[in-house]
Amino acid sequence: MWKTLRQIARVGRISETAHAASMAVEAADKSDAQAELLRILGRALAIRVVDAGSCNGCELEIQALSNPYYNLEGLGLQFVASPRHADMLLVTGPVSRHMELALRRTYEAMPEPRLVVAAGECACTGGVFGESYASCGRVGNVLPVDVTVAGCPPSPQALLEGILRAVRRQAR
C-alpha cells in the first residue's frame, strides 16, 4: 500500500481536464437532440435493449449512456423492461438460434410504429460468428432493421447518433 501511495504522490494527477469549448458544443448538441425528440415524438422515447448473443462489449457502452456524462434520461430517452412499453428495440450481438424466437416475440409485442436499431459489428454483419448451425447471423436476417450502428463496440456517441437517426427516419 505504501508503494502505491508513493507512486501516486510522485506521479500526481494523470487524468485530463475537460476542455470548456468541447463541453459547450456537447451541451448544445444535447439540447438540440432533446428539442428534436420532443418535436418529433412529443414525449420520451422508450428503448428495450435485447442481447441476442453478444460478448457484452456493446452492453457496456449502452450502459455508459445512463451515466451522468451522457445523461440519457435528461435527453428524453429511457430504457424499459417490457417490450409493450417500448418504441424502439436496440439489439446487440449476432442472433443465436436460441434467441431467434425470443427476439421475434419481443418485436411482435411492441406497439406500432416499431423501430429497430442493430448496435455493434456482430448485430450489423454477423461479425466473426457469421451464419452457422448456432447463429442466424446479423439481426437483419431475423427482423427488419431501421438503422445500424457499426463498431466493435460502438461508442456511446455513435449509439446516441444511431438512436436519433432512427427517430428522424421515423418522422419522415
Side-chain angles (χ1 to χ4, degrees), residues 10 13 16 18 64 66 82 90 122 125 141 148:
R10 188 180 72 241
R13 174 182 259 175
E16 296 178 7
S66 296
S82 172
L90 184 61
C122 295
T125 64
N141 293 344
T148 59

Side-chain angles (χ1 to χ4, degrees), residues 15 27 29 31 33-34 49 59 63 69 85 87 116 120 140-141 146:
S15 62
D29 290 344
S31 63
Q34 182 180 15
V49 179
E59 281 74 17
Q63 192 61 35
Y69 184 80
H85 302 146
D87 303 311
V116 177
N141 293 344
D146 297 305

Side-chain angles (χ1 to χ4, degrees), residues 28-41 45 75 77 87-88 115-117 146-147 157-172:
D29 290 344
K30 289 179 182 179
S31 63
D32 291 344
Q34 182 180 15
E36 186 174 3
L37 276 172
L38 289 175
R39 182 182 56 80
I40 293 171
L41 296 174
L45 177 71
L75 293 176
L77 304 168
D87 303 311
M88 176 182 289
L115 292 171
V116 177
V117 175
D146 297 305
V147 173
Q157 295 94 342
L159 289 166
L160 192 55
E161 289 170 9
I163 290 169
L164 293 174
R165 201 172 346 131
V167 170
R168 289 181 191 125
R169 188 172 175 183
Q170 179 192 10
R172 277 190 255 146

Side-chain angles (χ1 to χ4, degrees), residues 50-72:
V50 175
D51 176 357
S54 76
C55 67
N56 291 330
C58 297
E59 281 74 17
L60 291 172
E61 300 299 322
I62 290 169
Q63 192 61 35
L65 287 172
S66 296
N67 71 27
Y69 184 80
Y70 295 102
N71 192 16
L72 188 76

